Every structure is written in C-alpha cells, then in structure tokens.
C-alpha cells in the first residue's frame, strides 16, 4: 500500500510539473506491459529519426529502435504503425532514417535497423513505399541481418529526389533512380571497426541547380566531394585544426563523427571519442565535441560544448542541428544544449534530471520547416518545443504520445 501511495504521489507531481512547464505527452500512449511467455515489455521507448511532410505540417513520421515506423496525420494527436505485418513487409523492427520525396510525398524511403554499428539492431537495407507507408518493398541496397551492417544516414538531392546518398557500414552508396540501382561511391577505409563506419552525410545548401553539388560525409575523418559524390577528399588532418593530435584525442582507440553543412562556407562535425570500440567497454573515458568548419579557410574551430553535454555521452549520441538561415545550434547527448548566433557559449536547453522536461539520451533533432518547432527523438519517446527557439526560457517542451 505504501508503494502504491508513493507511485500515486509521484504521478501527481509529474503531472503538476508538466502542466507548469507547458509540456504535454503526444505519444505513444499507454504503459509497457509484459509480453506473453517472456520477460520483455512492449510499449514505447527509443526513437531514432523523424521526417516531415514537405507541405502538410500535420503529417510526419518517426522511426523507432524496435517498434517500426509510425505516422501521424494530425500533428501527433493520433498515430498509426505504418510498418504493420513486419514479418511480411520489413523483417526487422528498427527504423534508422526516413526520407520523403518532396515532389511526391507518398513516396517514402526508410533505412532499417538502428543507425549506428555500436547499437544492437542491424540493418537489412533500405525499403521504399509509394503509397504513404501502407506497403513497403526492399530496394537493391540490401544486407543480410547476420552481416551486422548499418545504414546510419540518408540524404536526398535538393533538386532531384531520385538521387540519394546513404552513409553505411560499407561506405557511401549513391542512387540516381530512387534505389532501383546503387553504386558504392566511397568505401569504408576501416571495415570491421566502428571508427570506419560512415555515420553522417549532408548536402551543402545554396548551390544553384544544374551545377555539381557538394557533399560532406564522415567516418573516422570528414570527407568532402564537389562533384556529386564521384570523388572525395579529407578535410580533417594535419594543419586543419582537427588533426587528432590534441589532448582530447590522443590515446583514444576510436572516434565517431556526424557532419552537417549549413551555408556556403560552414559545416559542422560532432565528434565522440573513447578508449574502446567494443560494447560495453567503449564507454570508457568518452567525450563529445562539436567543431565548425570554414571552407573558405579550410580550418576547424572547437565550439566548446558545455560539460553537461560531454558527461555520460555515448558514441551514438551525435544529434545536432543548425537552425535554417541562422547559426543557432542545438546539440544533444544526454540532454540538449543551445548556442544562438548572438552567443559565444552553449547553455542547457533541456533537463533530464527528475522531474525533468525532456527524456535523457537524444538521438535526433529536427526543426519542422512550416512551424519552426524543434523536435527531439529520445530514449523515452518524442518531444516538441513549442516556444520561440531564440527565447531565453526552455520550459515549453511537450512530449508527443505515439
């Protein structure tokens, strides 16, 4: 009875805190329950990715670690599992990344498995839907589950949605026909090591249509291509300001990097390092950093993430985003930190400590183009920030029930 009373009190306190901080849950709904004949629980948990419909702000999709692909058509008020009959359509329940065709939003691409080879659910490749997620078919980019390979990130060409790139355990794959065919345009230099997996890839924005596009990709280095992915050159190393010889990197057995590009001159790299590359010991002596690259000078600058973003960071916490048309940066590991264009340092933007406003462990951050709202995929579901992203306060988070 005492335990029951304590639980009721804690629930009331949590409900009060959520009300005071303008947070409300948006999914999934319901408490986990024990599955028949097992000690496992169903219910909600880790999310890896989110993708928005290009014109309808009420439609978006989320990818889960073990629960498939979920879709909402009313801004998160209700959800449907679009990867039903997973044993017939998609043989693994993890969804790593999601792309939506901006010319035909009924066409969707999902990468299977968890988006990092230091995690537990391997990929079987990329699946494609042409009916808004009702059915899926496997593309030629396919793996065997026993290969223990991962698709970490996918990007779509800014002017031709049939052209895409995928950062994977093998390296960088490219398609020019919507994954009817594929080619490996940059191989993994360290097959078998987490340091060699390509985790990040992004197009440099602002290049005019008809010109060769520039991409950045990251494995244990950051690579740049200025010819639509045909050739790649490292932009890290001796003389760049990010040459792995500093005290933050020496003695570490592995490093993992995510990269995004912003305006015509800037790119950013999120770097995690550690003493081991095998679970669970890879967590030893780990740290996380965020560097800014100026392509006009070819140099990197450490942006000095706050201590709270480094403590407890794992090599698979690479989430960060730069707000479009600004240099406002949001970075997540255990919690979320923010640095505005007008600021020189990062500050906490969420709190995972009880009672907390955003669940710990941030796996993806995304800004909805139509609403300028920030979404966070965490180990405890989906959260949305409903206030002004440039305001001083960060108590306007809500949790979205799936």
């Amino acid at each position: 009875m005492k335990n029951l009373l304590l639980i009721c009190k804690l629930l009331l306190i949590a409900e009060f805190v959520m009300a005071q901080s303008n947070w409300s849950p948006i999914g999934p709904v319901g408490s986990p329950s024990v599955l028949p004949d097992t000690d496992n629980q169903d219910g909600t948990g880790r999310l890896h990715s989110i993708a928005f419909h290009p014109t309808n702000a009420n439609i978006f999709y989320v990818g889960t670690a073990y629960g498939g692909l979920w879709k909402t058509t009313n801004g998160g008020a209700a959800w449907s599992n679009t990867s039903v009959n997973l044993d017939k359509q998609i043989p693994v329940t993890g969804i790593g990344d999601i792309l939506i065709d901006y010319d035909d939003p009924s066409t969707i691409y999902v990468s299977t498995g968890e988006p990092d080879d230091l995690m537990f659910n391997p990929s079987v490749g990329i699946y494609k839907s042409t009916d808004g997620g009702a059915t899926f078919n496997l593309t030629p980019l396919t793996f065997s589950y026993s290969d223990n390979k991962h698709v970490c990130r996918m990007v779509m060409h800014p002017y031709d949605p049939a052209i895409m790139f995928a950062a994977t355990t093998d390296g960088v794959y490219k398609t020019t026909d919507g994954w009817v065919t594929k080619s490996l345009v940059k191989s993994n230099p360290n097959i078998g090591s987490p340091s060699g997996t390509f985790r990040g890839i992004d197009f440099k924005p602002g290049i005019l249509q008809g010109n060769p596009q520039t991409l950045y990709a990251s494995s244990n280095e950051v690579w740049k291509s200025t010819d639509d992915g045909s050739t790649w050159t490292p932009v890290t190393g001796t003389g760049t300001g990010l040459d792995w010889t500093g005290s933050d990197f020496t003695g570490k057995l592995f490093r993992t990097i995510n990269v995004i590009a912003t305006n015509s001159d800037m790119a950013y790299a999120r770097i995690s390092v550690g003493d081991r590359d095998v679970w669970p010991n890879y967590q030893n002596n780990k740290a996380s950093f965020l560097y800014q690259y100026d392509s006009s000078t070819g140099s990197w600058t450490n942006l000095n993430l706050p201590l709270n973003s480094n403590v407890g960071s794992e090599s698979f916490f690479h989430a960060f985003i730069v707000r479009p048309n600004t240099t406002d940066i949001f970075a997540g590991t255990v919690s979320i930190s923010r640095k505005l264009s007008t600021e020189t340092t990062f500050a906490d933007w969420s709190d995972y400590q009880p009672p907390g406003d955003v669940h710990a462990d941030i796996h993806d951050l995304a800004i909805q183009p139509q609403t300028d709202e920030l979404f966070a995929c965490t180990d405890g579901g989906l959260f949305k920030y409903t206030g002004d992203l440039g305001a001083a306060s960060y108590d306007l988070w809500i949790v979205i029930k799936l």
Side-chain angles (χ1 to χ4, degrees):
M1 178 62 70
K2 289 182 178 179
N3 288 337
L4 179 59
L5 289 174
L6 177 60
I7 291 172
C8 291
K9 288 180 180 179
L10 290 173
L11 289 173
L12 288 172
I13 291 171
E15 186 173 339
F16 172 78
V17 170
M18 295 289 277
Q20 295 299 306
S21 64
N22 294 309
W23 283 93
S24 63
I26 59 178
V29 178
S31 300
S33 58
V34 178
L35 296 172
D37 302 320
T38 76
D39 293 326
N40 299 321
Q41 290 184 326
D42 62 6
T44 64
R46 184 165 66 246
L47 304 183
H48 281 303
S49 54
I50 183 169
F52 304 108
H53 190 283
T55 59
N56 188 335
N58 286 318
I59 299 176
F60 46 93
Y61 300 78
V62 294
T64 71
Y66 288 92
L69 180 71
W70 291 76
K71 176 182 181 180
T72 180
T73 59
N74 54 12
W79 295 82
S80 60
N81 188 331
T82 66
S83 50
V84 294
N85 300 321
L86 292 176
D87 59 328
K88 297 179 181 178
Q89 293 195 63
I90 302 178
V92 297
T93 55
I95 300 296
D97 202 6
I98 310 162
L99 291 179
I100 301 174
D101 187 323
Y102 46 79
D103 285 343
D104 178 12
S106 62
T107 298
I108 304 163
Y109 303 88
V110 298
S111 62
T112 55
E114 297 195 78
D116 199 298
D117 58 359
L118 289 173
M119 302 192 80
F120 316 107
N121 196 355
S123 177
V124 294
I126 293 176
Y127 277 73
K128 177 180 180 179
S129 172
T130 58
D131 52 15
T135 60
F136 284 90
N137 291 291
L138 182 62
T139 71
L141 204 170
T142 179
F143 305 123
S144 169
Y145 190 82
S146 60
D147 291 339
N148 197 32
K149 294 184 177 182
H150 294 257
V151 179
C152 300
R153 181 70 173 166
M154 301 185 297
V155 290
M156 186 173 285
H157 192 283
Y159 304 113
D160 186 346
I163 300 175
M164 285 165 278
F165 292 81
T168 77
T169 305
D170 288 346
V172 176
Y173 284 97
K174 177 182 179 179
T175 182
T176 59
D177 50 20
W179 297 113
V180 175
T181 61
K182 62 176 174 55
S183 59
L184 185 65
V185 295
K186 177 60 183 173
S187 62
N188 179 346
N190 295 300
I191 288 288
S193 167
S195 289
T197 292
F198 276 79
R199 286 177 171 79
I201 189 164
D202 199 17
F203 278 97
K204 174 182 175 180
I207 297 179
L208 296 177
Q209 186 172 3
N211 294 307
Q213 297 296 306
T214 293
L215 297 100
Y216 290 87
S218 56
S219 57
N220 60 338
E221 303 283 352
V222 179
W223 302 82
K224 181 179 181 180
S225 172
T226 58
D227 54 9
D228 297 310
S230 296
T231 60
W232 298 83
T233 303
V235 293
T236 47
T238 303
T240 67
L242 191 52
D243 59 7
W244 322 118
T245 61
S247 59
D248 291 331
F249 304 111
T250 55
K252 303 297 190 296
L253 292 185
F254 79 101
R255 59 182 177 270
T256 62
I257 308 172
N258 185 24
V259 64
I260 60 174
T262 53
N263 59 30
S264 58
D265 291 325
M266 298 296 178
Y268 296 82
R270 182 69 182 276
I271 305 158
S272 295
V273 295
D275 284 350
R276 298 289 185 271
D277 62 359
V278 178
W279 174 268
N281 295 318
Y282 76 88
Q283 298 181 76
N284 296 347
N285 195 17
K286 57 189 181 293
S288 184
F289 307 93
L290 181 61
Y291 276 75
Q292 176 180 279
Y293 178 68
D294 186 339
S295 63
S296 65
T297 63
S299 60
W300 292 89
T301 302
N302 189 346
L303 296 183
N304 296 313
L305 280 175
L307 179 63
N308 192 42
S309 289
N310 294 335
V311 173
S313 65
E314 316 272 354
S315 69
F316 47 73
F317 296 157
H318 287 124
F320 74 104
I321 189 170
V322 181
R323 189 181 184 189
N325 303 314
T326 75
T327 54
D328 298 345
I329 304 171
F330 298 85
T333 48
V334 178
S335 60
I336 301 170
S337 299
R338 182 196 71 173
K339 187 180 81 68
L340 296 178
S341 307
T342 56
E343 298 172 334
T344 58
T345 59
F346 281 86
D348 291 337
W349 192 243
S350 73
D351 183 11
Y352 68 93
Q353 298 285 358
D357 48 21
V358 176
H359 196 283
D361 299 351
I362 313 300
H363 292 277
D364 193 20
L365 292 169
I367 294 176
Q368 192 172 45
Q370 297 96 333
T371 64
D372 198 39
E373 292 173 320
L374 176 66
F375 287 75
C377 295
T378 78
D379 266 5
L382 181 63
F383 291 76
K384 179 175 72 172
Y385 189 78
T386 59
D388 181 358
L389 295 181
S393 174
Y394 63 79
D395 60 352
L396 296 172
W397 287 97
I398 61 174
V399 56
I400 302 179
K401 290 182 179 178
L402 271 65

